[in-house]
Amino acid sequence: MEADFIVVILPGGKGTHIELGIALGLEKRIFLYSPNEEVNNFETISTFYHLTEVEKCFGTLDELLEKVTTTNVY
């Protein structure tokens, strides 16, 4: 609850989606990471992934870290 942001790394399980829901409710900044763009497959993913509060990130973990550390999260 004290975090400024959350990073959701896919594939995520039930607990991951609970944390995502809590972050949405607390209006936290959310980075959703997938190494590929499978998160855009509407048939297999959660609708929550497409909310405007969720920032999708693709590529390597290094690219994710670069995005998280250079993005203003406040």
Side-chain angles (χ1 to χ4, degrees):
M1 288 177 39
E2 295 178 21
D4 294 321
F5 63 94
I6 183 174
V7 177
V8 176
I9 299 176
L10 297 179
K14 189 180 209 179
T16 302
H17 292 100
I18 292 169
E19 295 290 334
L20 174 61
I22 292 169
L24 285 165
L26 294 173
E27 299 181 358
K28 300 293 183 179
R29 184 85 185 261
I30 301 167
F31 295 93
L32 178 69
Y33 170 75
S34 176
N36 55 45
E37 294 192 32
E38 68 188 347
V39 70
N40 289 323
N41 183 348
F42 286 96
E43 294 178 10
T44 60
I45 53 83
S46 171
T47 305
F48 290 115
Y49 298 171
H50 299 286
L51 296 174
T52 57
E53 298 89 348
V54 177
E55 185 169 344
K56 295 182 216 168
C57 306
F58 309 107
T60 66
L61 287 174
D62 288 335
E63 291 171 318
L64 170 65
L65 290 173
E66 176 72 20
K67 184 169 207 158
V68 170
T69 58
T70 60
T71 300
N72 184 5
V73 293
Y74 301 102

